[in-house]
Amino acid sequence: GQIVVSGAAQPEAERGLSEPVDFVDLGMHRLRDIAQPIRVYTVLAEGLPDRFDDLRGAARPVQSIPRSLTRFVGRTVDLERIRAQLLTCPLVTIVGLAGVGKTRIALEVASSEAHRFAGGVIMCEFSGVLPSQVGAVLGKALGVERRTLRSAEESVVEWLHDKELLLLLDNCEDAPEAVGELALAVSRFAPGCRVLATSREPLAVQGEQVTLLQPLATGADTDDGVVLFLERARAAGAELGDDARTRELARDVCEAVAGVPLAIEIAASNAASLSLLDIADAVRAGNLPTSSRASGPHRSVGHALDLTFDRLAPGLRDAFLRSSVLTGSFDRDAFAAVVSSQLDNASVLDLLRQLVDRSLVVSETRMERTRFRLLEPVRAYAEARLDPADRETVRGAFVDHYVGVAEAAADRLRGPGEATCVSQIELDFDNLRAAQARAIGAGNADASLRIVAALWDYAFMRMRSEIFDWGEAATAAAPPDHPGLAMVLGIVALGGWTRESPLKAAQFAAESLRLEQEHGAPRSLPVRLALLNAAEYGGNTTDMRGVMAEVMSLSNESANPYWQTNVDVVRSLGHTFAGRGAQAIELANRALVRARESENPSTIAWALFGRAVATELFDVEHAEALFDDCLVRARSVDNRWIESMCSTRLASLRRRHGSVLDAMTMVLELLDTWERAGHRSHVWSAVRQAALCLADAGDATSAVVLNQAAAAARLALPQLPADAEDLEAVLEKIRLDVGEDQMKRWAAHADGMSQAEAMQLARERLQIAIAG
């Protein structure tokens, strides 16, 4: 067999391995720790198969690529060229001037090529993204969190190394160097992935294949540019004949905008109210504002926008320019916030409708909601024309609005409307990120701290660790006497625990508690939850009784069923782990009553989890039903933390009671979930569950190797009594079947096995067992 050993090589004699059969020096472009050689060793392991089939776990598609409501026109040669490049090149960049159709053709290629990638297509938008945010933005698109002692970029590359995905990186020109560095790392370290990027300039990295996208041809009546104009003009309501004169005038318009597709579409949007001759004359007029600053195709988008912009009423013109501060997609409330707080809903919708009709704003449906966006060339045009003094005022309104969005979400997340609130945060995440960065850049410490304070529980339950990074940046920029600083320091401490960085957790927790004592800041839950979890999972010497008493006090003071339920469930779990079934059931029942009163899905799911774990002690069938109910409710609100905790228990229960195939399938999903989240202890827990499943499936060798690897990693997760007893029974059975000496020989093959190697072995053996 073969095992891929990534990281610094240890002497072969220490690992018990033969000489390397292959060596690949992949290099690395400025990324740190991960940039170490990968060696492929032949493993001298009795009982292991001669080879492991290539059954890598496929990445589940995290998001679908948007579908346009209009037909794609032309570009046959370009499409075929880009598809052919993707077959042989790991990194293809489509470059061209603003509005030439880079994104549209990339989407068309991605749609047609998605079937070639087991994980599908993931699209990531980099418009307006700072270079320092590139890794986090791609990580969010993939659902991958930053690992301990890894940058966001390194974490993404590490996760992608065995995946098969097409990454569509759009609008890379705002951070070409950072995107290029990341794309190069992906192309080198993730051989199953392909990167298709769009940018106004090449990423300028080794191995990049560049395709320059030219404007559409307009010389003949049947050329792509003319066909596009006529199709879009008729869609805008223009009544055009199918005659030579109409096609000639359409060709004149297309030539006037140099065949740039976006300019053609903007010009066509005027065809319902202007004749084709008037449109052509207006676009060609030499006195347009952009004509003195640019020449050739580069001014065509500006000319077409000038044609539309100059015909806007003053109020609509101001609304368009102010909307340029919005990033990504936005809703009508955000639009109203930056345009004018005095507008009523009818007026807001009317302004948006007029901008959509003129192709200045694009409407789209996401998560069953209507959202809006400005295409990047249009947004850049509006931003350039927005008065600088007005820009600062509007950006301030933008930050204030999204502080309000975050704080409103904090309340709704713990009520009956949790599902709606979660989808709203997901839709607004790009703008929340931008608001956080702009607040820090503008010296608005209060806003930056408030956003983090509002979203910390969302970050924890949805495994959105990027928000903890926001907190660290906010605390670094905040004055030491700010009343919200202690709270956010505690949030960063909790983030340190989730990433299993005990030093960071301890440092930030100590500073948070110091500020509470010295400045009389309100006591906060996050820092105390960080201390409790660090003690429970990491073996810290925290006074758990004292901290738990404070948590209970704060929960009772809040009079919020969400927190009161959480405390009861945590206490119930403590009794369960200690084998005190009666006390566990009593607290779990009380928690469930409170949770149902709250009508909050996450609260009910967590109470069901506590009740199910306690019930495992005496009624397995009832416990399984409770876990199933918990799983459904957690998934309904994308609570990935509770979902994963529930799946972990359910997989263990089903395996122990005969449903091994179901358990193996769930463990595969858990390996993917915890790997994305970067929770090391939970990954090793899933590896141990894989070992038990494989033992039941008759693969004793892999079971012993994986269990020993987990044991050597000093797994910190506590085990329920039933799990500990079951593990010992499984190992004892193998020992009786093969003997102690064979067990030791198998276990020796786990020496030095990394987490990545253990996960790869677990996935391969589970998939073989499921297929067999």
Side-chain angles (χ1 to χ4, degrees):
Q2 290 185 341
I3 292 182
V4 177
V5 183
S6 54
Q10 296 182 12
E12 284 74 11
E14 293 180 16
R15 290 175 174 258
L17 302 174
S18 70
E19 290 294 315
V21 296
D22 192 16
F23 175 78
V24 185
D25 185 1
L26 296 178
M28 195 60 165
H29 190 64
R30 294 169 57 189
L31 296 183
R32 297 191 308 277
D33 304 325
I34 192 173
Q36 295 174 347
I38 292 181
R39 290 180 180 256
V40 182
Y41 292 90
T42 298
V43 182
L44 307 178
E46 292 184 55
L48 287 175
D50 292 334
R51 61 179 294 276
F52 291 135
D53 291 336
D54 186 15
L55 293 172
R56 292 172 295 187
R60 60 186 178 192
V62 181
Q63 63 182 43
S64 59
I65 58 177
R67 294 186 179 276
S68 175
L69 299 180
T70 56
R71 186 176 71 90
F72 185 82
V73 175
R75 299 283 197 195
T76 303
V77 174
D78 293 320
L79 286 169
E80 291 305 315
R81 181 172 64 251
I82 296 169
R83 287 171 182 148
Q85 289 172 336
L86 277 176
L87 288 174
T88 58
C89 302
L91 170 58
V92 176
T93 305
I94 304 171
V95 301
L97 56 93
V100 80
K102 300 182 294 294
T103 299
R104 187 63 194 277
I105 195 171
L107 289 171
E108 194 71 13
V109 170
S111 295
S112 65
E113 297 299 294
H115 68 280
R116 296 203 299 109
F117 300 89
V121 180
I122 301 297
M123 182 175 181
C124 187
E125 163 71 46
F126 288 111
S127 176
V129 171
L130 299 173
S132 60
Q133 298 173 333
V134 164
V137 171
L138 181 56
K140 181 181 181 297
L142 292 166
V144 175
E145 304 302 316
R146 184 163 69 84
R147 275 86 167 108
T148 305
L149 304 179
R150 291 279 192 268
S151 68
E153 290 81 2
E154 291 165 340
S155 301
V156 165
V157 174
E158 189 173 34
W159 182 82
L160 284 171
H161 82 279
D162 63 345
K163 306 301 185 295
E164 295 180 5
L165 285 164
L166 174 58
L167 302 179
L168 201 171
L169 310 184
D170 195 31
N171 289 324
C172 303
E173 57 272 358
D174 285 342
E177 183 177 351
V179 176
E181 181 178 332
L182 182 54
L184 176 62
V186 171
S187 67
R188 286 179 167 177
F189 282 83
C193 294
R194 289 287 186 270
V195 176
L196 179 61
T198 73
S199 178
R200 295 183 199 172
E201 61 185 80
L203 301 182
V205 295
Q206 184 179 3
E208 177 186 26
Q209 181 71 52
V210 177
T211 288
L212 175 62
L213 200 64
Q214 300 287 359
L216 296 175
T218 61
D221 292 353
T222 56
D223 279 344
D224 291 341
V226 178
V227 172
L228 176 65
F229 177 86
L230 291 172
E231 186 170 300
R232 299 298 193 262
R234 291 183 177 113
E239 296 183 3
L240 302 176
D242 186 19
D243 54 77
R245 179 56 177 165
T246 298
R247 290 191 293 273
E248 180 185 357
L249 290 172
R251 188 175 68 248
D252 288 345
V253 174
C254 294
E255 289 175 346
V257 296
V260 175
L262 178 59
I264 290 173
E265 296 201 32
I266 293 170
S269 70
N270 293 277
S273 56
L274 286 178
S275 71
L276 302 191
L277 184 59
D278 287 338
I279 293 174
D281 288 344
V283 173
R284 278 196 298 258
N287 58 353
L288 291 175
T290 56
S291 62
S292 62
R293 295 194 301 269
S295 61
H298 293 275
R299 69 177 182 173
S300 57
V301 174
H303 275 191
L305 283 167
D306 283 334
L307 168 66
T308 300
F309 181 78
D310 290 342
R311 298 177 64 237
L312 298 179
L316 188 58
R317 181 180 298 180
D318 290 342
F320 170 56
L321 297 181
R322 286 169 169 257
S323 67
S324 65
V325 304
L326 295 162
T327 64
S329 74
F330 55 88
D331 60 16
R332 62 185 183 184
D333 290 337
F335 179 80
V338 300
V339 170
S340 173
S341 59
Q342 307 303 315
L343 294 174
D344 58 28
N345 283 337
S347 299
V348 170
L349 287 175
D350 184 56
L351 288 173
L352 282 168
R353 179 189 58 76
Q354 292 185 65
L355 292 173
V356 170
D357 287 346
R358 290 161 175 79
S359 297
L360 298 176
V361 169
V362 177
S363 66
E364 56 192 16
T365 300
R366 292 192 175 190
M367 299 183 187
E368 300 181 348
R369 300 184 186 197
T370 301
R371 305 281 293 184
F372 306 90
R373 72 165 55 242
L374 280 72
L375 297 178
E376 181 54 24
V378 178
R379 193 203 64 76
Y381 172 92
E383 184 178 44
R385 300 195 62 152
L386 181 62
D387 182 82
D390 198 19
R391 183 183 300 121
E392 294 307 310
T393 300
V394 178
R395 283 192 170 186
F398 170 89
V399 170
D400 290 344
H401 173 74
Y402 282 102
V403 170
V405 168
E407 291 182 336
D411 294 330
R412 294 199 303 273
L413 273 173
R414 294 161 193 149
E418 181 183 12
T420 301
C421 180
V422 168
S423 65
Q424 183 69 44
I425 295 174
E426 281 299 298
L427 289 169
D428 279 331
F429 201 89
D430 289 344
N431 278 306
L432 287 165
R433 179 192 292 116
Q436 168 73 10
R438 286 177 181 175
I440 293 175
N444 189 346
D446 185 68
S448 65
L449 292 170
R450 286 167 62 188
I451 289 173
V452 176
L455 295 177
W456 75 268
D457 196 36
Y458 174 86
F460 179 73
M461 287 295 178
R462 274 79 195 179
M463 299 186 189
R464 289 281 186 262
S465 64
E466 182 186 347
I467 295 173
F468 296 121
D469 292 335
W470 300 356
E472 194 165 350
T475 57
D481 59 347
H482 192 285
L485 182 58
M487 170 73 168
V488 178
L489 286 167
I491 292 169
V492 177
L494 183 62
W497 168 75
T498 62
R499 286 175 173 159
E500 299 181 359
S501 179
L503 181 61
K504 174 176 285 189
Q507 289 174 339
F508 280 88
E511 184 65 10
S512 174
L513 294 174
R514 183 188 69 79
L515 288 178
E516 284 186 4
Q517 294 169 359
E518 295 182 5
H519 298 284
R523 293 181 302 164
S524 69
L525 275 171
V527 67
R528 287 159 178 82
L529 292 178
L531 293 172
L532 280 179
N533 283 306
E536 181 69 19
Y537 291 87
N540 292 12
T541 57
T542 301
D543 175 14
M544 289 187 65
R545 288 180 179 272
V547 176
M548 190 63 186
E550 287 191 276
V551 171
M552 291 174 60
S553 172
L554 288 169
S555 300
N556 289 330
E557 288 174 11
S558 73
N560 189 321
Y562 181 92
W563 295 118
Q564 293 172 342
T565 298
N566 181 70
V567 168
D568 283 344
V569 171
V570 171
R571 294 177 63 204
S572 173
L573 291 173
H575 286 303
T576 302
F577 278 99
R580 296 187 289 268
Q583 295 96 317
I585 288 293
E586 179 182 357
L587 282 167
N589 284 340
R590 187 172 76 180
L592 193 53
V593 170
R594 280 178 170 169
R596 293 193 188 283
E597 290 174 356
S598 76
E599 300 182 46
N600 177 257
S602 283
T603 306
I604 297 171
W606 188 230
L608 287 166
F609 176 79
R611 183 69 168 82
V613 173
T615 303
E616 270 193 71
L617 297 171
F618 60 89
D619 189 342
V620 172
E621 289 186 4
H622 186 201
E624 185 172 2
L626 290 168
F627 280 130
D628 282 333
D629 193 0
C630 170
L631 208 54
V632 169
R633 293 175 189 271
R635 285 173 174 166
S636 73
V637 289
D638 191 34
N639 194 318
R640 294 193 288 163
W641 181 261
I642 295 178
E643 175 189 350
S644 301
M645 296 292 286
C646 181
S647 294
T648 298
R649 296 301 321 138
L650 194 53
S652 174
L653 184 148
R654 286 181 175 166
R655 186 200 65 77
R656 287 186 280 115
H657 295 278
S659 300
V660 180
L661 188 61
D662 285 350
M664 288 192 291
T665 302
M666 295 186 77
V667 171
L668 275 175
E669 294 174 354
L670 284 167
L671 285 168
D672 177 67
T673 296
W674 292 122
E675 184 190 17
R676 288 174 187 270
H679 288 286
R680 178 177 172 275
S681 58
H682 284 285
V683 167
W684 281 115
S685 178
V687 167
R688 176 167 279 166
Q689 287 224 39
L692 292 169
C693 289
L694 291 170
D696 288 348
D699 187 355
T701 308
S702 299
V704 172
V705 172
L706 291 173
N707 179 69
Q708 180 60 31
R714 297 181 181 178
L715 186 66
L717 282 178
Q719 285 185 294
L720 285 171
D723 290 327
E725 293 169 6
D726 182 55
L727 175 63
E728 184 57 39
V730 169
L731 294 176
E732 181 61 26
K733 182 179 183 305
I734 295 175
R735 187 176 291 108
L736 291 173
D737 288 343
V738 304
E740 184 69 29
D741 290 343
Q742 183 66 287
M743 285 272 288
K744 289 181 178 179
R745 283 194 294 271
W746 286 345
H749 295 300
D751 291 347
M753 180 176 280
S754 70
Q755 179 178 293
E757 295 161 3
M759 291 179 66
Q760 182 182 3
L761 178 60
R763 284 194 179 107
E764 290 173 343
R765 302 310 296 167
L766 285 171
Q767 290 170 334
I768 290 170
I770 290 170

